[in-house]
Amino acid sequence: MTQKSTDNGRPTVVVTGASAGVGRAIAHEFARHRWNVSVLARGEAGLKGTVRDIERAGGRAQAHQVDVADADAVMRAADETVKEFGGIDVWINVAMVTIYAPVQQTSPDEYKRATEVTYLGQVHGTLAALKHMQSRDAGTIVCIGSALAYRSIPLQSSYCAAKAAVRGFIDSLRSELLHDGSHVRLTMVQLPAVNTPQFDWARTRMPRRLEPVPPIYQPEAIARHVYSAAHTAPRELWIGFPTWKAIIGNMIIPGWIDGYLARHGYRGEMTSQAALEGRPDNLYDPVDTDPGAHGRFDDRSLTTVPAADPRWLKLGIATALGVAFLGALSIARTSETHRRLR
């Protein structure tokens, strides 16, 4: 990536959803490389903690207490970032909310809210980034996705649908930028299960405490790959073998996976512990604490994770399927010819 020097000679990144979890780890990773880091989140306590982390790591910080569902507020944060640091080199859309519940136990208002944050929040961030990147014809926008953007699972229909929508939005925008000859780059990073505080503040109607479907990875392992993706800008980056398995499996045997998730999906998303009654959730308002990047699964989480650009694998799969189809067609035609000759 060609880094554009800003007023203090450092490149600048904007990270939404930066007060905890993956967003917090990403902000810290860029700070370690001495970037200017502008962070957006709703919770005041978490933002303050993130700023401390950035400054201790050697970065320069700017904080914006913003709900990404508010497009005007996101745009103002982008303007203030440019005013403070001179430009935006990378914008990373991370912010999300979810509801753990069967579809018929999820209200229309809850679907609307999850969509406004998890899908439209990425749209708003992308539009704000483009406003400043297009004038310089440079910059990289990274959208944090999930294996669930390809393969939905039970109990998280709002989240899965929003991540799939982000993928559709980015694919359309990518074609438009190519049409315009733009040098602004887009990449989407598809994640596996990560040890974040999400599982203790997501809204839930499940009887037991929530957990990510293992294997689980630490946020810092994800952040290192996101930092790399901001430089190399692959079309997509798939992180972790579970991501590859879910996406490729859904391409090949989606019906079998439907049945597998029907049998095992509910159990895989919950622990054996009873849910905590009355705990706050962050669907409409932040749980204004400073939990850091990690959730409660440190003892089960891996600190390294593989990642790769899937384009060559996709080409190989397409080629293999094409060869198999042509082979089957040839066999069918030969059989038909022999039948007619008899």
Side-chain angles (χ1 to χ4, degrees):
M1 179 184 70
T2 302
Q3 296 176 354
K4 302 288 184 178
S5 295
T6 47
D7 286 351
N8 61 5
R10 300 181 179 195
T12 297
V13 62
V14 178
V15 185
T16 74
S19 61
V22 171
R24 177 94 167 235
I26 291 170
H28 186 267
E29 180 66 20
F30 277 84
R32 288 199 315 112
H33 294 275
R34 300 185 63 79
W35 283 53
N36 302 317
V37 187
S38 178
V39 290
L40 281 63
R42 295 177 298 165
E44 182 179 4
L47 273 174
K48 287 181 178 178
T50 303
V51 167
R52 286 194 300 270
D53 286 352
I54 291 168
E55 292 175 344
R56 288 171 182 168
R60 284 189 58 190
Q62 185 184 56
H64 307 271
Q65 194 169 353
V66 166
D67 185 335
V68 295
D70 183 341
D72 291 338
V74 174
M75 197 68 72
R76 286 194 298 272
D79 293 344
E80 291 167 9
T81 299
V82 171
K83 184 177 180 181
E84 173 70 17
F85 295 131
I88 298 172
D89 299 290
V90 174
W91 185 291
I92 304 179
N93 291 306
V94 188
M96 54 74 65
V97 295
T98 189
I99 304 107
Y100 280 80
V103 167
Q104 291 172 299
Q105 295 179 30
T106 308
S107 73
D109 283 344
E110 288 172 330
Y111 275 114
K112 179 181 177 183
R113 175 60 179 167
T115 302
E116 288 173 341
V117 176
T118 308
Y119 168 53
L120 289 178
Q122 298 222 22
V123 173
H124 299 159
T126 300
L127 291 173
L130 287 172
K131 173 185 174 182
H132 295 284
M133 291 179 178
Q134 284 188 302
S135 61
R136 297 191 294 118
D137 195 29
T140 302
I141 301 169
V142 181
C143 290
I144 300 300
S146 167
L148 306 187
Y150 285 87
R151 174 63 246 186
S152 293
I153 61 175
L155 305 180
Q156 287 200 74
S157 55
S158 62
Y159 179 82
C160 296
K163 290 297 187 181
V166 171
R167 187 163 64 92
F169 166 72
I170 289 299
D171 287 350
S172 291
L173 174 59
R174 185 181 290 108
S175 294
E176 293 175 9
L177 292 175
L178 289 170
H179 171 271
D180 296 341
S182 173
H183 290 95
V184 175
R185 305 184 304 171
L186 297 175
T187 188
M188 189 168 183
V189 179
Q190 312 296 8
L191 303 190
V194 187
N195 175 31
T196 75
Q198 161 191 340
F199 304 94
D200 286 326
W201 61 27
R203 177 163 294 192
T204 178
R205 294 192 173 88
M206 306 316 296
R208 300 192 299 279
R209 295 185 78 181
L210 306 174
E211 68 173 349
V213 179
I216 308 166
Y217 299 93
Q218 293 289 26
E220 292 79 9
I222 305 300
R224 290 191 289 271
H225 287 300
V226 173
Y227 180 80
S228 176
H231 289 77
T232 60
R235 186 179 189 279
E236 287 195 10
L237 186 69
W238 296 357
I239 299 181
F241 290 123
T243 299
W244 286 69
K245 183 169 68 173
I247 296 173
I248 295 170
N250 197 59
M251 293 176 181
I252 300 171
I253 48 170
W256 184 89
I257 296 175
D258 291 341
Y260 177 86
L261 289 172
R263 295 187 300 273
H264 304 287
Y266 282 54
R267 183 172 65 250
E269 297 180 63
M270 293 182 284
T271 71
S272 59
Q273 299 171 311
L276 302 177
E277 292 188 14
R279 73 160 174 79
D281 68 66
N282 72 340
L283 185 61
Y284 291 99
D285 297 299
V287 178
D288 198 13
T289 58
D290 181 24
H294 290 204
R296 56 185 152 87
F297 307 100
D298 279 339
D299 60 338
R300 298 168 53 194
S301 298
L302 304 173
T303 57
T304 60
V305 57
D309 181 339
R311 57 185 162 177
W312 300 115
L313 177 64
K314 288 181 178 179
L315 179 61
I317 291 172
T319 300
L321 291 175
V323 169
F325 173 76
L326 291 174
L329 186 62
S330 176
I331 292 170
R333 286 175 174 172
T334 300
S335 298
E336 179 63 17
T337 300
H338 288 166
R339 186 187 67 78
R340 288 177 179 177
L341 290 174
R342 285 199 299 266

